Amino acid sequence: MRKTVMMRFTGLALAIPFAVGLAASDARTEETLQGMLATQLRAQGYPCDKPLKAERDDKLSKPDNEAWTLTCSNATYRVSRVPDLAAKVEKIDEGK
């Protein structure tokens, strides 16, 4: 009897961290996208102190050429990404 109870406890102990990880993965997805775009901008010399949000621009996006609007704490950028190439970056004026 003790062996069965111990096996159930062990299974439950292993399942809880897995379930918590799955629940948190949706929140990390958006954060990862913002962080990834901000990292790419910084690598190309654009300042992005803290990425706040990233929104896909469906009008400008094409197959193999995604367009995003990245809002950072210090600026807003329009970013066009093509696989294996540097991003095309345009700083959006706050007055527009």
Side-chain angles (χ1 to χ4, degrees):
M1 180 74 175
R2 281 186 171 172
K3 193 173 186 179
T4 304
V5 171
M6 190 61 149
M7 287 176 62
R8 287 183 183 168
F9 177 75
T10 303
L12 182 61
L14 294 174
I16 290 173
F18 180 73
V20 170
L22 286 178
S25 67
D26 286 342
R28 283 185 264 164
T29 302
E30 186 65 27
E31 184 178 280
T32 302
L33 174 64
Q34 294 168 6
M36 179 188 68
L37 289 172
T39 299
Q40 187 167 14
L41 287 180
R42 289 185 203 114
Q44 291 182 224
Y46 294 91
C48 180
D49 295 338
K50 181 181 177 187
L52 302 175
K53 68 178 180 177
E55 296 175 322
R56 188 172 192 273
D57 189 334
D58 291 330
K59 287 183 180 179
L60 297 176
S61 292
K62 300 172 186 156
D64 290 333
N65 186 352
E66 294 182 334
W68 297 89
T69 300
L70 177 66
T71 303
C72 300
S73 61
N74 59 319
T76 301
Y77 300 97
R78 183 170 295 122
V79 183
S80 296
R81 299 182 64 233
V82 177
D84 299 325
L85 296 175
K88 180 181 172 189
V89 182
E90 175 186 351
K91 186 173 180 180
I92 299 173
D93 291 332
E94 299 299 322
K96 286 187 178 179

